Amino acid sequence: MEVVTFGESMVLFSGDQSLPLEYVHQFHKQMAGAESNVAIGLAKLGHSVGWFSKLGQDAFGRYIMQSVRGQGVDTSRCIFTDAAPTAVFFKERQSGGRTQVYYYRNQSAASLMKPEDLDESYLAQAKILHVTGITPALSQSCLELIGHAMDLAKRNHLRIVFDPNIRWKLWNRPDTKQILLELASKADYILPGLDEGEFLTGQTEPEGIAEELLKLGAKAVIVKLGKEGAYYQSLTEKGSVPSYPVQEIDPVGAGDGFAAGFISGLLRQEELAMAVSRANAVGAIVVGVNGDTEGLPSDEELTLMMSGQVN
Ligand code: CKP
Ligand code: MG
């Protein structure tokens, strides 16, 4: 396996109309979850990737498993439990194209994940570990699992990609910042959005954010700037990479597309600027399609986008 990632995936019900959810009668059923989005993105680009989670022993758990496996991701380390259900969440479409999510994931099956659920030899043979700041917000045992996985990855010389993915609806502890900074300090590549970078460092500009986060020991920091593209900085280089033009349909999942594109660039041993450009391109393609994973491109589509033949 080139990449291993893990986290909570949920069944997503998207309201069919742009109305407050109490007035919506029909919903579309899809699947979502930051880490499985990244895994599917990488599989679609032709990489070998494993994703694991703890799923409820229920129809939604089976649906998630089928959906992720059906895209070519290795799900052999997933665990089913009857101790808790698979989580669901709802997406409300609001006026002006904005979206709002409502989680029903408290005490879910995935929140029961713990360090012993990690197949250590499975992780140790990979090249890259991808993790997000969603997992440590799920429960104390999930926080312990992510720390354990990052330590093990470090000992085995994997490169670690960390997306802070701060979900305020999930965090209810006073040491949120400290926890995320501690995880970031174990990472080789940190991929914050501007707001996340500001929360973590107190800096408001991409350069200031990157400089502060680099002090934690990362090889590079890439600050995602949406329509403005991305800013990258390592110990030896820095620069900005513009975004690709796209008509925005659904921004959720863009960050995960970005991570998949970036990791693909790392696996192809691209220069940092090129990997960031690849990341921007995948993110842009995802934004133009409804759903978190439906827009994730094949290698061919990505090449077309990067050569300017599609937008
Ligand atoms: O940062 P992104 O918009 O790329 O993340 C979207 C995902 O895992 C989405 O799939 C959702 O299920 C989640 O983030 C989450 O837990 O919020
Ligand atoms: Mg994100």
Side-chain angles (χ1 to χ4, degrees):
M1 226 45 66
E2 290 175 294
V3 183
V4 169
T5 184
F6 61 89
E8 177 161 57
S9 292
M10 298 166 284
V11 179
L12 160 61
F13 291 97
S14 302
D16 279 355
Q17 296 135 301
S18 294
L19 286 172
L21 286 189
E22 55 266 53
Y23 302 112
V24 174
H25 297 292
Q26 287 191 325
F27 295 85
H28 257 92
K29 173 166 150 269
Q30 291 160 306
M31 197 232 44
E35 300 83 2
S36 60
N37 292 345
V38 173
I40 292 171
L42 285 164
K44 281 190 164 180
L45 292 174
H47 299 291
S48 65
V49 48
W51 166 84
F52 71 89
S53 190
K54 195 168 266 185
L55 295 160
Q57 191 75 261
D58 48 37
F60 289 160
R62 289 190 290 278
Y63 168 63
I64 288 172
M65 177 84 156
Q66 287 158 12
S67 310
V68 181
R69 191 166 52 194
Q71 298 284 357
V73 174
D74 180 59
T75 54
S76 59
R77 268 51 179 188
C78 278
I79 300 168
F80 281 92
T81 178
D82 50 20
T86 306
V88 301
F89 75 121
F90 295 82
K91 199 188 273 182
E92 183 178 71
R93 285 199 270 145
Q94 302 175 328
S95 54
R98 281 173 299 124
T99 55
Q100 174 80 27
V101 297
Y102 301 91
Y103 297 130
Y104 292 75
R105 66 195 297 186
N106 195 17
Q107 299 191 320
S108 64
S111 75
L112 302 180
M113 284 192 293
K114 54 185 193 304
E116 299 75 41
D117 294 333
L118 179 69
D119 180 335
E120 297 187 355
S121 53
Y122 182 75
L123 175 62
Q125 53 72 49
K127 293 193 177 111
I128 293 180
L129 169 67
H130 164 266
V131 284
T132 85
I134 296 174
T135 306
L138 300 177
S139 65
Q140 182 61 30
S141 64
C142 282
L143 169 61
E144 287 162 17
L145 167 63
I146 192 171
H148 173 56
M150 291 173 98
D151 289 342
L152 189 89
K154 245 189 158 31
R155 281 204 299 281
N156 287 280
H157 311 293
L158 277 77
R159 282 172 292 170
I160 303 176
V161 177
F162 176 63
D163 179 346
N165 256 346
I166 304 176
R167 299 289 185 262
W168 292 115
K169 287 182 176 173
L170 297 181
W171 282 105
N172 55 4
R173 26 193 307 173
D175 52 353
T176 301
K177 182 165 153 180
Q178 201 184 314
I179 287 174
L180 290 168
L181 285 174
E182 203 177 315
L183 295 175
S185 73
K186 298 176 195 277
D188 296 298
Y189 299 94
I190 310 173
L191 315 181
L194 195 58
D195 290 0
E196 293 171 335
E198 189 173 340
F199 170 71
L200 292 175
T201 65
Q203 299 290 323
T204 51
E205 296 300 320
E207 189 162 351
I209 291 169
E211 256 157 32
E212 283 302 311
L213 291 177
L214 279 173
K215 287 184 194 156
L216 299 174
K219 288 190 174 71
V221 174
I222 296 97
V223 185
K224 294 172 280 185
L225 303 170
K227 288 188 184 70
E228 314 303 323
Y231 174 81
Y232 65 90
Q233 190 166 334
S234 71
L235 294 176
T236 53
E237 51 183 334
K238 55 181 164 184
S240 295
V241 178
S243 63
Y244 289 80
V246 67
Q247 204 208 332
E248 181 174 311
I249 308 284
D250 174 11
V252 183
D256 306 327
F258 186 97
F262 180 69
I263 293 171
S264 179
L266 290 182
L267 289 167
R268 293 169 208 238
Q269 300 183 338
E270 288 176 345
E271 298 282 325
L272 198 49
M274 184 64 189
V276 175
S277 181
R278 187 174 294 284
N280 272 342
V282 178
I285 298 172
V286 169
V287 161
V289 179
N290 213 339
D292 287 17
T293 58
E294 287 78 349
L296 286 161
S298 65
D299 204 28
E300 215 175 353
E301 285 170 280
L302 179 57
T303 306
L304 283 177
M305 176 63 133
M306 292 181 77
S307 62
Q309 287 171 269
V310 240
N311 60 42

